[in-house]
C-alpha cells in the first residue's frame, strides 16, 4: 500500500509531491490530484488530510468544486491563506524589499527600505533581517525559511558573492553566512528553518517557471534588466542552471560590441552596459535620475513614437539586445525566452523589430521560431526567493513537525 511516507526516486514524499501539485496550480481538485499522483482515492484523501492538518492547504467538500469520478463533485483544494510563510528578501542598489510569501507564490505582507551602508554587507543585511522580523511578529505566522536575492553571482557551496558590481561588497563576502547570522540575531526561528542566498535573476526565472509565463517551458531562458545592469538565467527541466560552482549564465556579460562601452567586469560592449536603463536614458539625451529603472520605463512608455530621440535610442538598444539573444539562442537552444525589466518594455514598444533582430542573426533562421515573451510577475525575485525557501517543505512537509 502506498503511504504518505513513500519517497520518489528524487527523494520527495508523496505528501510533498501532492503539495507541489497544489502549490503550482496543477491539482485544483482531489480528483485531479488523484490522477496526477496515480494513487487511489483513499490515498489521495489521506494525503490531503495530512496537508490540511499542517495548515498548508484547505479542502472544500462543497458542491461546485469540479467533477470527480463518475461525475460526482470533487473536493476543491487550495492553499491555506493563514498557513506558514517564507521570508523572501531582496537587496538592490536602490534599497531593499522584504515579503512574507505563502504557498502558490502569494505575497501576504511586504516592506521596503533604503540601504544606509550598501558597501558593507553586514550593515546592508542587518536592516533587511530586522524588517523581516517585524513582519513576522505582526503576522504571527510560522516561518519555513529565509532567502535573500542579491545582484551578484553566488558561489556554491560557499554562498559567497563574486564581483557584486552594483553594491560594492568585497569579492568573496560570505553573504549567506552573514544573512544566516542576522536572521538568528533578530530571533527568526522555525522548524528546520533554512537560510540561503541566490542571484536575483536566477530567482526571477525560478518564479516565472513555477508561477508565471514560463510554466510549460523545459528550457527557459530569462534575460532582464535589474535596478542596475542586465542579468540572465536558464531553467532546465525545472532546475536553475548555475554551472559547476554557481557562476553559470552570467548573460549580462556577453559582449555584443567589442569596441563598445567599458563594462565593470573588465570587458567592453556587454549586454550589461549596452542594453541597460542607464544607456537607454543617455542615448535618448536625458539626464539620469536616482531611480533609473522607473525613469527608463516611463520614458519609453510616454515618449516612444513621439520623440525621435527616444525612438532612436530604443531602436539602438533593441538591435543590441537582439544580437545578444541570437547568440544565446545559438548556444543554449531554449524553447522559450522571457524578458523582464526594461527589456520587457522594449518588447512591448516594438515587438516586430526585436523579433526580427533575433531571427536575422540566428543560423538557418531557427531563432525566429523561439517565442520571445514578457515576464508575467511583478515581484519575480521575491517570489523566486520564497520558492527556494519552500523547497524543503515541498520535498517533505513532515519537516514542519520537527
Amino acid at each position: 500500500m502506498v503511504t504518505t511516507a513513500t519517497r520518489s526516486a528524487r527523494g520527495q514524499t508523496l505528501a510533498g509531491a501532492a503539495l507541489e501539485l497544489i502549490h503550482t496550480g496543477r491539482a485544483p481538485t482531489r480528483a485531479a490530484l488523484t490522477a496526477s499522483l496515480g494513487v487511489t482515492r483513499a490515498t489521495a484523501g489521506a494525503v490531503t488530510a495530512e496537508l490540511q492538518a499542517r495548515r498548508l492547504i484547505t479542502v472544500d467538500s462543497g458542491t461546485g468544486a469540479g467533477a470527480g469520478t463518475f461525475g460526482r463533485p470533487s473536493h476543491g483544494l487550495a492553499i491555506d491563506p493563514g498557513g506558514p510563510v517564507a521570508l523572501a528578501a531582496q537587496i538592490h542598489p536602490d534599497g531593499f524589499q522584504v515579503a512574507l510569501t505563502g504557498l502558490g507564490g502569494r505575497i501576504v505582507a511586504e516592506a521596503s527600505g533604503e540601504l544606509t551602508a550598501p558597501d558593507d554587507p553586514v550593515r546592508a543585511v542587518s536592516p533587511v533581517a530586522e524588517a523581516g522580523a517585524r513582519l513576522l511578529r505582526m503576522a504571527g505566522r510560522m516561518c519555513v525559511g529565509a532567502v535573500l536575492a542579491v545582484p551578484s553571482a553566488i558561489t556554491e557551496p560557499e554562498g559567497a558573492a563574486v564581483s557584486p558590481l552594483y553594491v560594492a561588497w568585497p569579492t568573496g563576502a560570505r553573504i549567506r553566512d552573514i544573512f544566516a547570522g542576522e536572521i538568528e540575531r533578530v530571533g527568526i526561528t522555525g522548524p528546520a528553518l533554512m537560510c540561503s542566498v541566490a542571484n536575483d535573476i536566477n530567482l526571477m526565472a525560478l518564479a516565472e517557471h513555477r508561477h508565471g509565463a514560463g510554466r510549460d517551458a523545459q528550457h527557459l531562458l530569462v534575460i532582464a534588466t535589474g535596478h542596475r545592469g542586465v542579468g540572465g538565467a536558464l531553467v532546465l527541466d525545472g532546475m536553475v542552471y548555475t554551472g559547476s560552482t554557481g557562476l553559470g549564465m552570467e548573460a549580462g556579460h556577453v559582449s555584443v560590441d567589442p569596441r563598445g562601452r567599458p563594462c565593470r567586469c573588465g570587458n567592453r560592449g556587454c549586454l550589461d552596459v549596452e542594453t541597460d536603463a542607464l544607456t537607454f536614458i543617455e542615448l535618448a539625451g536625458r539626464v539620469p535620475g536616482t531611480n533609473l529603472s522607473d525613469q527608463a520605463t516611463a520614458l519609453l512608455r510616454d515618449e516612444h513614437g513621439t520623440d525621435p530621440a527616444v525612438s532612436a535610442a530604443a531602436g539602438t538598444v533593441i538591435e543590441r539586445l537582439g544580437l545578444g539573444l541570437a547568440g544565446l539562442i545559438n548556444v543554449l537552444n531554449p524553447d522559450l525566452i522571457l524578458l523582464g525589466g526594461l527589456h520587457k518594455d522594449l518588447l512591448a514598444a516594438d515587438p516586430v523589430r526585436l523579433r526580427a533582430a533575433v531571427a536575422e542573426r540566428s543560423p538557418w533562421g531557427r531563432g525566429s521560431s523561439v517565442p520571445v515573451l514578457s515576464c508575467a510577475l511583478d515581484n519575480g525575485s521575491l517570489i523566486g526567493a520564497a520558492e527556494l525557501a519552500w523547497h524543503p517543505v515541498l520535498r517533505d512537509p513532515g519537516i514542519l513537525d520537527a
Side-chain angles (χ1 to χ4, degrees):
M1 176 180 176
V2 177
T3 70
T4 58
T6 300
R7 291 183 180 270
S8 69
R10 60 185 181 131
Q12 188 177 39
T13 66
L14 187 60
L19 184 60
E20 184 172 351
L21 288 167
I22 300 166
H23 166 64
T24 54
R26 291 175 288 167
T29 66
R30 201 164 72 183
L33 182 67
T34 302
S36 296
L37 293 176
V39 298
T40 65
R41 293 175 59 203
T43 297
V47 171
T48 54
E50 175 185 331
L51 297 176
Q52 186 177 25
R54 293 192 174 100
R55 295 212 61 187
L56 295 169
I57 69 167
T58 60
V59 180
D60 179 10
S61 58
T63 59
T69 306
F70 305 117
R72 288 176 290 183
S74 179
H75 293 66
L77 305 178
I79 301 304
D80 189 330
V85 293
L87 174 59
Q90 180 179 15
I91 285 177
H92 50 75
D94 298 322
F96 69 86
Q97 294 170 278
V98 293
L100 303 185
T101 306
L103 287 165
R106 300 174 184 176
I107 294 177
V108 299
E110 57 186 315
S112 60
E114 297 181 356
L115 295 180
T116 57
D119 57 344
D120 183 334
V122 176
R123 294 175 64 191
V125 170
S126 178
V128 175
E130 291 168 355
R134 286 193 295 270
L135 287 181
L136 285 166
R137 284 195 298 269
M138 288 187 291
R141 309 275 279 269
M142 176 193 293
C143 183
V144 301
V147 175
L148 176 65
V150 296
S152 172
I154 300 294
T155 62
E156 296 173 354
E158 300 89 353
V162 177
S163 298
L165 303 178
Y166 295 103
V167 285
W169 297 338
T171 292
R174 295 274 185 151
I175 195 67
R176 184 171 61 207
D177 292 343
I178 292 170
F179 181 56
E182 290 299 305
I183 290 294
E184 182 179 7
R185 179 183 66 82
V186 299
I188 296 176
T189 60
L193 183 75
M194 179 200 75
C195 293
S196 189
V197 176
N199 173 264
D200 51 3
I201 304 300
N202 281 349
L203 293 174
M204 177 190 293
L206 181 61
E208 289 290 340
H209 185 268
R210 285 296 185 96
H211 304 290
R215 292 177 60 152
D216 296 325
Q218 295 297 310
H219 299 79
L220 172 64
L221 174 63
V222 176
I223 303 294
T225 62
H227 288 254
R228 300 283 194 281
V230 175
L234 182 67
V235 182
L236 300 176
D237 296 323
M239 301 294 292
V240 176
Y241 172 79
T242 57
S244 61
T245 60
L247 307 181
M249 275 307 298
E250 281 294 309
H253 298 290
V254 170
S255 178
V256 293
D257 183 357
R259 294 180 296 277
R261 296 173 179 235
C263 181
R264 290 173 180 241
C265 73
N267 204 348
R268 279 187 173 272
C270 295
L271 284 175
D272 197 66
V273 292
E274 297 291 346
T275 68
D276 69 333
L278 176 60
T279 295
F280 170 65
I281 292 167
E282 291 180 343
L283 287 173
R286 306 303 167 88
V287 177
T290 55
N291 191 320
L292 300 177
S293 180
D294 288 349
Q295 182 183 1
T297 294
L299 186 62
L300 190 60
R301 181 189 63 236
D302 298 337
E303 301 186 48
H304 182 264
T306 60
D307 186 321
V310 174
S311 298
T316 298
V317 175
I318 283 173
E319 289 297 323
R320 293 170 179 169
L321 177 59
L323 177 59
L325 292 178
L328 290 166
I329 289 171
N330 298 343
V331 173
L332 302 173
N333 190 215
D335 56 7
L336 176 64
I337 296 174
L338 297 181
L339 302 180
L342 175 63
H343 295 169
K344 171 182 175 178
D345 299 326
L346 289 167
L347 176 63
D350 199 342
V352 173
R353 182 167 186 174
L354 179 54
R355 292 189 174 108
V358 174
E360 70 185 24
R361 295 179 172 91
S362 300
W364 313 291
R366 293 297 297 274
S368 60
S369 67
V370 180
V372 180
L373 306 176
S374 296
C375 289
L377 303 175
D378 292 331
N379 294 292
S381 293
L382 285 175
I383 295 172
E387 282 299 306
L388 199 58
W390 277 108
H391 181 70
V393 180
L394 294 174
R395 284 175 58 84
D396 182 5
I399 66 171
L400 296 181
D401 300 335

